[in-house]
Amino acid sequence: MNALVQNTTRASASAVAESAQYLTFMLGGEVFAIGILAIKEIIEYGGLTEVPMMPDSIRGVINLRGAVVPVMDLSARFGKPATALTKRTCIVIVELATGDERQVIGVVVDAVNAVLDIPAAEIEPAPSFGTRIRGDFILGMGKVNGKFVILLNVDKVLTMDVVAALAEAGIQEAPLALG
């Protein structure tokens, strides 16, 4: 009996290790997700200061407890029209590791949905064609309740070249090739 409990516990532990949590959100009518470990917090949209001559994908900056945080519009980053502001629009604060430093970036989304556990077995590789965003932006396609959720590769989507534009305000972002 004890061996059965130990085997069941090991199986449960390995199943937990093989799944990851993702924050799902809406953007332009599609469901996207970011790994929960990169998320610091979710805040209401507001208090944004526009910075002149920024790329279209940078909406501006916010003051987050005394720190200046750039805010990126994911829709514009994907080459689509800027996100329309609604009551459910919010900013997801994401922390990226860049070498020895940590960079905090805000991401504008239409609405936050939920945190989901997606087992590794339910994640398919990124498709090589047919997506409306660059392939390197997609970490994979998570299957949830018979539908696909686009798992974003935040290290590629929120690249520092775009954020570096804050330091060099006169440089425009190069157009993104889609698909």
Side-chain angles (χ1 to χ4, degrees), residues 3 98 106-107 124-125 134 165:
T98 56
V107 177
E124 298 291 327
R134 287 181 19 187

Side-chain angles (χ1 to χ4, degrees), residues 128-161:
S128 58
F129 63 91
T131 61
R132 289 177 235 147
I133 63 174
R134 287 181 19 187
D136 62 332
F137 286 179
I138 302 173
L139 190 61
M141 304 294 287
K143 289 187 270 184
V144 179
N145 298 328
K147 296 183 181 182
F148 280 110
V149 174
I150 301 169
L151 307 178
L152 293 177
N153 183 343
V154 290
D155 293 327
K156 296 286 185 181
V157 174
L158 307 178
T159 55
M160 299 316 298
D161 62 332

Side-chain angles (χ1 to χ4, degrees), residues 1-11:
M1 176 78 163
N2 194 16
L4 178 61
V5 171
Q6 287 176 344
N7 288 339
T8 305
T9 304
R10 275 191 226 125

